[in-house]
Amino acid sequence: MSFTVAIDGPAAAGKGTIARAVAARFGFAHLDTGLLYRAVGARMLEGADPVAAARGLAPADLARSDLRAADVARAASEVAAIPEVRAALVAFQRGFARQAGGAVLDGRDIGTVICPEAEVKLYVTASPEVRAHRRWLEEGGDAAQVLADVHARDARDTGREDAPLKAAGDAVLIDTTALDIDGAVAAACAHVAARL
Ligand code: C5P
């Protein structure tokens, strides 16, 4: 029997950390769907056509070590606005969600588009300033630039026509602005446990 946990939210809100912790706690598989768009973005930076790259995405593309780079993140949010790129990635994500033993998927459109029937939907957010500060603690760089990048990515992710970032009507909101990791993970696990 499949059991899907959909976790959406903006960059650096803590959804990846929460998704990994929920998966570990309940023994579910985990897919960071941002990696799919990052892998396509990385291929575009190398000159590939993004739609062809999305259609031909292979496991090795997801294992690249450069997918966390800032230029790849920017390219990811650009290719994520192309409907044919998104369409090419749907079947893989839905297949992953339905696997036996349970699955956690985190991204921007999991509860709204990919898995609208998910048993648990969480929308994890935090203020742009707190998210930029967390990103800066992890990656360093110019703090003002990191905040500008967060705002730019939010604008692209919420403003695109196809599958924009937004909370599903039936998603549970977890605001991590004033929550530490343990608090956020505990809140998420409690929601999952209540549905199992
Ligand atoms: O979450 P992450 O920062 O790795 O995502 C990179 C980019 O991929 C996001 O800015 C977003 O534009 C895109 N994305 C998406 N839909 C998803 C996951 C990521 O559009 N489900």
Side-chain angles (χ1 to χ4, degrees):
M1 209 193 65
S2 70
F3 185 97
T4 306
V5 182
I7 306 184
D8 293 303
K15 61 185 187 305
T17 305
I18 292 172
R20 279 189 299 277
V22 166
R25 160 84 195 278
F26 296 97
F28 296 163
H30 170 226
L31 178 65
D32 168 1
T33 64
L35 282 182
L36 304 173
Y37 296 91
R38 286 172 182 262
V40 174
R43 297 279 294 112
M44 182 182 75
L45 292 177
E46 291 166 352
D49 170 62
V51 176
R55 289 180 180 153
L57 209 62
D61 294 315
L62 302 181
R64 296 172 58 139
S65 60
D66 59 347
L67 296 184
R68 293 280 155 214
D71 60 336
V72 173
R74 268 192 294 275
S77 83
E78 279 173 36
V79 301
I82 304 171
E84 292 85 354
V85 167
R86 306 198 69 84
L89 302 175
V90 168
F92 174 74
Q93 295 175 85
R94 288 194 179 145
F96 190 95
R98 287 200 202 100
Q99 68 185 282
V104 183
L105 286 80
D106 71 278
R108 304 291 190 289
D109 64 339
I110 308 304
T112 50
V113 174
I114 303 295
C115 304
E117 310 297 331
E119 280 74 12
V120 177
K121 296 182 190 177
L122 305 176
Y123 190 83
V124 180
T125 189
S127 73
E129 291 72 21
V130 163
R131 291 188 285 119
H133 184 65
R134 287 179 190 153
R135 183 89 351 143
W136 177 80
L137 287 176
E138 279 172 12
E139 294 170 13
D142 176 51
Q145 184 59 49
V146 175
L147 179 59
D149 280 349
V150 163
H151 278 301
R153 209 130 76 84
D154 284 358
R156 270 202 298 273
D157 288 351
T158 56
R160 69 176 173 234
E161 293 222 346
D162 191 17
L165 168 65
K166 66 165 189 269
D170 52 352
V172 172
L173 182 75
I174 299 182
D175 186 333
T176 67
T177 305
L179 273 184
D180 62 9
I181 291 171
D182 290 348
V185 167
C189 287
H191 287 296
V192 175
R195 288 302 201 102
L196 271 176

